[in-house]
Amino acid sequence: ITITGQNDAPVASPITKSYNKGQVADTVALLTGATDPDFGETAALVVDSATPVTYTVTTNSPNGTAQASSTTVPTGVSFNAANGTLSIDPTNPVFSTIAAGQNETIVATYKIADGKGGFTTTTATLIVNGAGTNAPIASIRDNGDTCAPPESRSVLVFLLVEQTPHKVPEHT
């Protein structure tokens, strides 16, 4: 009896990470969680350099749309093929226009290869949120003799007023 094994493809789960705009840069190892069912091959896994990484960028805003997939690395992101990492810099000016409650999603699609012909395709999703925009809660316009918040919203405002104490004249 002869039993001949066959090469099994690697197994990988999608990676998802979220950031707030202005947050410090981060590096994501694209092989995180990837395994190979064949004994001893997990250590040999690589991001397949023969197949380019593709990127899709989607902006979640009132008129946001997904861009067509491209092999061009998006601004604010870098790919290191030598060590299979994707880096993102949420302080990059490209993310500065993301408003509170909105986000930009970058999906990198790539192949993981085991060096023996087995591969799997997976994704890394990087989400940059517009949180921390330091936007004013409300602004008040002076409309003559009344002040009204924009769009007729109710706003409770406490004003701190410095008063000069009255001096009582001295009587002699």
Side-chain angles (χ1 to χ4, degrees), residues 6 24 34 65 67 74-75 82-83 89 102 114 128 130-131 135 148 152 154:
Q6 69 180 42
V24 296
T65 57
Q67 296 177 359
T75 303
N83 65 10
D89 182 4
Q102 298 177 352
D114 66 6
V128 180
S152 300
S154 297

Side-chain angles (χ1 to χ4, degrees), residues 23-104:
Q23 187 175 334
V24 296
D26 186 37
T27 299
V28 178
L30 297 179
L31 296 176
T32 299
T35 60
D36 193 314
D38 295 321
F39 181 75
E41 288 187 17
T42 296
L45 296 177
V46 295
V47 174
D48 185 20
S49 60
T51 306
V53 177
T54 58
Y55 305 90
T56 304
V57 180
T58 305
T59 303
N60 172 11
S61 64
N63 33 338
T65 57
Q67 296 177 359
S69 291
S70 170
T71 57
T72 302
V73 182
T75 303
V77 176
S78 61
F79 172 62
N80 184 327
N83 65 10
T85 59
L86 200 58
S87 297
I88 185 164
D89 182 4
T91 65
N92 189 292
V94 73
F95 301 118
S96 67
T97 59
I98 304 172
Q102 298 177 352
N103 63 53
E104 184 162 300

Side-chain angles (χ1 to χ4, degrees), residues 16-27:
T16 300
K17 294 198 76 176
S18 290
Y19 308 91
N20 290 331
K21 81 174 183 182
Q23 187 175 334
V24 296
D26 186 37
T27 299

